Amino acid sequence: MNSEPAKIGVFVCQCGKNVGGVVDTEKVADAVKDSPNVVLSKVHPHLCSYEGLSVIQNDIEEHGIDRLVVAACTPKMHEKTFRDAAVGAGLNPHCLDIANIR
Ligand code: SF4
């Protein structure tokens, strides 16, 4: 069993103006960046895009993230998308949590 502390990465999606127009996403990301075990907290305009998923995967690998939090739309829309991206970067698919902020 791994006894290393968890390394949590938080990704906040703007969904263009769907979220970014009504939620201060930078403030959300800032609010959690100093929380225990959070190694990275950032905002992206479209996390479900190819580019957005690449950012997540690159950060997982670069920062050794082993717990993923995605603040975006309902899990009904993209839970599989983000789980697949996590697996693609070598993460356990169950180490993902999605917060619906849309
Ligand atoms: S992940 Fe969801 S909230 Fe983000 S851009 Fe895609 S549809 Fe919009």
Side-chain angles (χ1 to χ4, degrees):
M1 194 155 83
N2 186 358
S3 58
E4 295 285 312
K7 292 184 175 178
I8 303 169
V10 181
F11 296 84
V12 182
C13 190
Q14 294 180 316
C15 199
K17 289 198 183 296
N18 289 328
V19 174
V22 291
V23 174
D24 187 339
T25 49
E26 293 290 348
K27 200 169 179 180
V28 173
D30 271 358
V32 299
K33 75 176 177 10
D34 295 324
S35 298
N37 301 106
V38 172
V39 296
L40 177 151
S41 181
K42 66 166 58 169
V43 172
H44 191 278
H46 296 284
L47 278 175
C48 62
S49 66
Y50 178 80
E51 196 270 338
L53 295 170
S54 296
V55 166
I56 292 173
Q57 290 185 315
N58 289 339
D59 281 339
I60 287 172
E61 288 167 11
E62 187 177 331
H63 297 278
I65 290 167
D66 56 12
R67 302 286 188 280
L68 189 59
V69 176
V70 175
C73 49
T74 167
K76 285 181 187 168
M77 281 187 75
H78 283 302
E79 183 172 13
K80 182 171 179 352
T81 306
F82 292 120
R83 285 207 196 284
D84 288 349
V87 169
L91 220 65
N92 181 323
H94 302 290
C95 290
L96 162 71
D97 213 346
I98 296 178
N100 181 0
I101 61 167
R102 197 167 96 171

